Amino acid sequence: MNRRAFLKRLGWGAGSAMALMAMEPLNVLAKDKSEKVTENRMTYRVQHGSGEQISLLGFGMMRLPNNQDEVNQLVDYAIEHGVNYYDTAPMYMGGQSEVLMGNALSRHPRDKYFVATKMSNQNRRSWSFDDSKAMYERSMEKLKVDYIDYYLLHGIGGGMDTLKGRFLDNGILDFLLKEREAGRIKHLGFSYHGDVRDFDWLLDRQEEYHWDFVQIQMNFLDWRHASMRGGRRSDADAEYLYDKCKKTGVQCVIMEPLRGGAFGRMAQELTDQLKAVHPDDSTARWAFRWVGSYPNVLTILSGMNRMDHLEENIKTFSPIDPCTETENQLLAKIADQMSGIPIIPCTTCEYCMPCPFGVNIPGNFAAYNESVNNHLLPLPDKTAADFDTRQQAFIDNYKKALPDEKAWASKCQDCEVCLSKCPQQIRIPNQLSRIVETLRKR
């Protein structure tokens, strides 16, 4: 009898209610091995199919210190305080993320952590079955494991032709399904960016593929204000993505809960509304609490490359304090206000980098967005009395943020290499051109 048949006999359907539990953190790193870590109580969610207890705070390892000792310290602290879900991909840090993560985690008992990595065959040259299979096998080697707990088709959403070329026509999805049957993959899912038709197509075939989880971008802004992100009509709000997963019986892994750090750079008048309710809480804590309030969320990924960020996030999730209805209404109002601010929807994921001509694409967008949030942009009409003053302030801030001229938007050659890489579907050359125009003196 296979796993699903066994669980069905027990009465565990795919739509079973999620369990939300505050539990003792894993005791694997106390100096005295008999000592239990009791100061924090990490929140766990139960994986439907296996009953595994997954920490609601997941460690996203896309951006790590390029130093093994520093990564070891972060991982040690995370495991000590109950974080047991670790997410990476072959493309992160040019492959170094898997190496750093594998070295750090392999120092601990294998049953104390769950590894998530991905089939990152976005490059058309790696679409063949042999190249894709080799990528999968290299991940196991780098991660120092003989099975992968959570494996994803990476970056679904480039259109059906791309979906078929990367995963279907080459037979690699069939191979991964067999790897799951053999136990070398424990849970199989996909991460979604972009074209919602790909998302729907895969979930509508749940009876065939039996997805164990889906990774989506979800935060209080994208909940109802993501559909026009990047100007793509086919994008879907997070509310739609979450609800479809829930109806299909598939749990969600959440990426970009802080929208690439954008909530830490909100306009002051928006931050003040939150401070009026909880003066000591950061906007990050608000955002995490909002996502953690949704029961079909299995884990929430946070990229933590600094110890202070890791410590703060662990406090937020130990245990999680779900948002009240009043707090949800406040965040919805703030999201409505944010959606009217003409920022560039960059999450600083850096998938667009490196630029062949040296442009710091995320840096340009961050400098622009900061000026929007500080009300320097958009500039008034050129006849306005304060036009020159505000433009000069923008220029000064821009040069301070990007002191190297080689990284400026003006160096863009409109080669469009970046376009296919952006999960937010931003028309990057157009936006860089807009920045250049804003910088141009009258």
Side-chain angles (χ1 to χ4, degrees):
M1 183 183 300
N2 64 28
R3 175 168 59 99
R4 285 186 175 77
F6 174 72
L7 292 172
K8 187 174 181 181
R9 180 169 291 184
L10 288 177
W12 290 23
S16 300
M18 290 292 298
L20 172 61
M21 301 179 295
M23 303 175 61
E24 294 294 339
L26 304 177
N27 178 37
V28 295
L29 283 173
K31 292 180 180 179
D32 177 356
K33 294 301 179 183
S34 65
E35 177 186 347
K36 289 189 176 181
V37 182
T38 58
E39 62 179 286
N40 294 304
R41 294 175 63 85
M42 174 59 63
T43 304
Y44 291 81
R45 292 271 167 89
V46 175
Q47 206 280 336
H48 280 162
S50 64
E52 295 164 344
Q53 296 167 358
I54 306 298
S55 57
L56 188 56
L57 173 60
F59 203 139
M61 310 191 90
M62 183 168 69
R63 305 180 193 90
L64 292 172
N66 199 10
N67 178 290
Q68 190 65 62
D69 289 339
E70 291 182 44
V71 175
N72 290 351
Q73 291 173 16
L74 291 167
V75 168
D76 290 355
Y77 188 89
I79 288 182
E80 180 181 357
H81 291 81
V83 178
N84 64 9
Y85 189 97
Y86 296 83
D87 171 271
T88 185
M91 67 186 296
Y92 294 170
M93 301 175 65
Q96 280 300 108
S97 175
E98 286 187 324
V99 173
L100 292 165
M101 177 171 147
N103 289 339
L105 288 173
S106 63
R107 298 156 51 249
H108 300 279
R110 181 66 178 91
D111 63 351
K112 299 302 182 183
Y113 58 88
F114 299 96
V115 167
T117 193
K118 309 173 182 74
M119 176 60 67
S120 300
N121 59 349
Q122 283 95 332
N123 191 319
R124 186 177 292 268
R125 290 180 303 225
S126 63
W127 283 8
S128 72
F129 175 84
D130 289 341
D131 286 345
S132 298
K133 180 173 179 287
M135 179 177 288
Y136 164 73
E137 292 170 344
R138 281 195 301 271
S139 290
M140 283 210 189
E141 293 173 6
K142 291 180 178 181
L143 292 167
K144 298 185 177 182
V145 296
D146 54 12
Y147 66 89
I148 296 173
D149 301 283
Y150 289 80
Y151 197 72
L152 301 88
L153 310 184
H154 193 184
I156 294 296
M160 282 305 300
D161 289 343
T162 299
L163 178 65
K164 290 177 180 178
R166 288 181 62 193
F167 304 115
L168 305 179
D169 295 345
N170 60 4
I172 197 64
L173 178 54
D174 291 334
F175 167 77
L176 296 176
L177 292 169
K178 290 177 182 177
E179 287 293 282
R180 182 173 63 180
E181 290 177 11
R184 286 182 287 273
I185 293 174
K186 300 301 182 182
H187 308 286
L188 186 62
F190 62 90
S191 64
Y192 162 75
H193 299 278
D195 194 329
V196 74
R197 290 168 294 186
D198 298 357
F199 175 88
D200 287 338
W201 192 92
L202 289 174
L203 277 186
D204 288 344
R205 285 155 181 79
Q206 177 65 359
E207 291 300 314
E208 178 180 355
Y209 296 127
H210 302 287
W211 303 111
D212 297 296
F213 67 107
V214 173
Q215 188 165 306
I216 61 173
Q217 178 168 319
M218 179 171 148
N219 50 67
F220 67 83
L221 179 57
D222 285 327
W223 185 246
R224 289 182 178 163
H225 296 289
S227 60
M228 291 309 294
R229 186 173 61 226
R232 285 178 58 94
R233 180 180 53 81
S234 57
D235 282 346
D237 289 333
E239 182 180 30
Y240 172 83
L241 304 176
Y242 176 86
D243 286 347
K244 177 140 189 172
C245 287
K246 184 178 178 182
K247 291 173 185 175
T248 311
V250 181
Q251 289 166 290
C252 299
V253 171
I254 304 305
M255 56 185 165
E256 302 292 355
L258 308 182
R259 219 175 195 247
F263 296 149
R265 302 186 295 270
M266 289 196 308
Q268 189 61 47
E269 64 267 23
L270 302 182
T271 304
D272 289 344
Q273 294 179 52
L274 300 178
K275 291 293 184 183
V277 179
H278 295 298
D280 298 328
D281 283 2
S282 65
T283 51
R285 179 175 171 82
W286 274 93
F288 283 132
R289 289 179 56 229
W290 182 88
V291 178
S293 302
Y294 285 85
N296 197 48
V297 170
L298 179 63
T299 190
I300 302 166
L301 301 178
S302 178
M304 299 173 285
N305 56 9
R306 287 171 38 182
M307 186 61 76
D308 57 333
H309 291 167
L310 176 60
E311 291 171 346
E312 180 183 354
N313 290 351
I314 285 173
K315 289 178 182 177
T316 297
F317 285 87
S318 301
I320 194 77
D321 179 22
C323 285
T324 66
E325 182 58 35
T326 300
E327 290 171 333
N328 283 334
Q329 291 173 2
L330 172 59
L331 289 171
K333 184 180 77 170
I334 289 175
D336 289 341
Q337 293 171 311
M338 289 182 71
S339 68
I341 297 175
I343 63 171
I344 300 169
C346 174
T347 65
T348 67
C349 70
E350 298 187 359
Y351 285 9
C352 58
M353 298 294 285
C355 166
F357 298 95
V359 178
N360 182 345
I361 298 169
N364 273 271
F365 292 166
Y368 180 90
N369 288 342
E370 182 178 1
S371 290
V372 171
N373 288 332
N374 290 334
H375 304 297
L376 291 176
L377 299 179
L379 294 175
D381 183 87
K382 291 186 178 182
T383 61
D386 63 343
F387 176 86
D388 289 335
T389 302
R390 284 173 58 177
Q391 184 187 42
Q392 189 59 52
F394 168 60
I395 292 171
D396 292 343
N397 290 344
Y398 179 85
K399 290 180 177 180
K400 182 178 180 180
L402 297 162
D404 186 353
E405 291 186 30
K406 296 177 182 178
W408 289 4
S410 57
K411 304 302 180 184
C412 174
Q413 300 299 308
D414 204 25
C415 68
E416 298 190 349
V417 169
C418 54
L419 282 180
S420 62
K421 299 178 182 179
C422 179
Q424 308 304 325
Q425 308 297 322
I426 299 169
R427 302 298 298 178
I428 293 173
N430 297 42
Q431 297 289 4
L432 291 173
S433 177
R434 203 171 98 197
I435 292 174
V436 172
E437 181 62 30
T438 305
L439 290 164
R440 186 174 292 124
K441 289 277 195 173
R442 61 176 174 176

